[in-house]
Amino acid sequence: MEVFLLWLGLAIIVGVAANSRGRNAFGWFVLAVVISPLLGGLLLLAMPRGGLDVKVCPECAEKVKVFARKCRYCGHEFAIANPPPLPPPPLFTHRDYDPPVR
Ligand SMILES: [Zn+2]
């Protein structure tokens, strides 16, 4: 019984550690229970911190989730939930372009 409680306790620690690294706490808790807290913890440590699912807020330069519509630090609203690699701005807009006169 003590082993089971220890197992659960360690799995909870893995979940909390996952949450502090910007990952799904419950998912990691379940993973740690299933594959063992030790393996779960090692796997979590092997993962890059924060992962690739963050973008930098243009207003406050804080890291927020890619799919966030609103910055949780400053409240900046993102236009669309687009991934971070934005296309470069066009060299000219259609307003600058004068169509050829026929
Ligand atoms: Zn912000």
Side-chain angles (χ1 to χ4, degrees):
M1 190 61 195
E2 284 88 10
V3 175
F4 179 70
L5 288 177
L6 184 71
W7 188 277
L8 271 187
L10 288 172
I12 288 168
I13 291 170
V14 171
V16 170
N19 190 45
S20 71
R21 287 165 165 258
R23 299 196 173 273
N24 185 336
F26 185 71
W28 279 91
F29 166 73
V30 171
L31 184 83
V33 169
V34 172
I35 68 169
S36 100
L38 184 66
L39 278 177
L42 287 175
L43 198 62
L44 181 65
L45 289 173
M47 302 284 270
R49 192 181 178 88
L52 299 168
D53 52 352
V54 291
K55 61 184 172 184
V56 176
C57 172
E59 288 291 319
C60 64
E62 288 288 350
K63 284 178 186 169
V64 291
K65 288 185 179 163
V66 166
F67 298 108
R69 288 191 203 155
K70 199 171 179 181
C71 176
R72 66 183 174 125
Y73 297 99
C74 70
H76 171 76
E77 287 192 28
F78 300 100
I80 9 163
N82 50 354
L86 291 168
L91 296 174
F92 58 88
T93 63
H94 65 280
R95 260 180 273 157
D96 301 327
Y97 176 67
D98 291 316
V101 182
R102 290 189 190 177

